[in-house]
Amino acid sequence: QVQLVESGGGLVQPGGSLRLSCTASGTIVSTSFMGWYRQAPGKQREFVAGVSSGGSTNYPDSVKGRFTISRDVNMVYLQMNSLKPEDTAVYYCNMVTPSAAYYWGQGTQVTVSS
């Protein structure tokens, strides 16, 4: 019933910018928490950014000031600026519904390299 599809990943040089998009289907999107996670090879998936149904945002210190999450009707975006090689990972869109159901997109690769 819910599908999340990410796009916008690619290769970018250090210091560059990239904007990821997540297209979310389902009527419960507007009342759900939306977030972005990333996972590098051999590492655990980590939280990158989140936005509540009310528009409140949350970021870990590792990306604060560089990444910005936003949402509209059925889209979630992650604007990434001042990218670093350590940002290289597969980025996943996440949705948590009011009933605590979790959904994930297929992921999009972001590679930061010169």
Side-chain angles (χ1 to χ4, degrees):
Q1 62 176 342
V2 174
Q3 293 185 12
L4 305 175
V5 181
E6 303 96 333
S7 63
L11 175 64
V12 63
Q13 295 186 38
S17 297
L18 209 58
R19 192 191 195 201
L20 305 183
S21 299
C22 173
T23 301
S25 64
T27 59
I28 59 175
V29 173
S30 63
T31 57
S32 298
F33 173 90
M34 304 298 298
W36 288 93
Y37 287 71
R38 67 187 181 188
Q39 187 169 25
K43 299 183 65 177
Q44 292 284 88
R45 190 170 298 184
E46 64 175 338
F47 173 78
V48 173
V51 57
S52 71
S53 60
S56 298
T57 58
N58 187 35
Y59 308 92
D61 290 340
S62 59
V63 306
K64 190 174 298 182
R66 299 189 299 120
F67 291 10
T68 303
I69 188 172
S70 60
R71 66 190 298 170
D72 58 18
V73 177
N74 67 335
M75 300 287 291
V76 185
Y77 306 96
L78 183 67
Q79 178 66 47
M80 304 184 294
N81 300 324
S82 301
L83 284 164
K84 306 173 181 179
E86 51 263 45
D87 294 320
T88 296
V90 177
Y91 284 70
Y92 297 90
C93 183
N94 164 254
M95 181 174 76
V96 184
T97 71
S99 61
Y102 288 77
Y103 297 91
W104 297 93
Q106 83 287 350
T108 185
Q109 177 70 48
V110 172
T111 302
V112 184
S113 176
S114 59

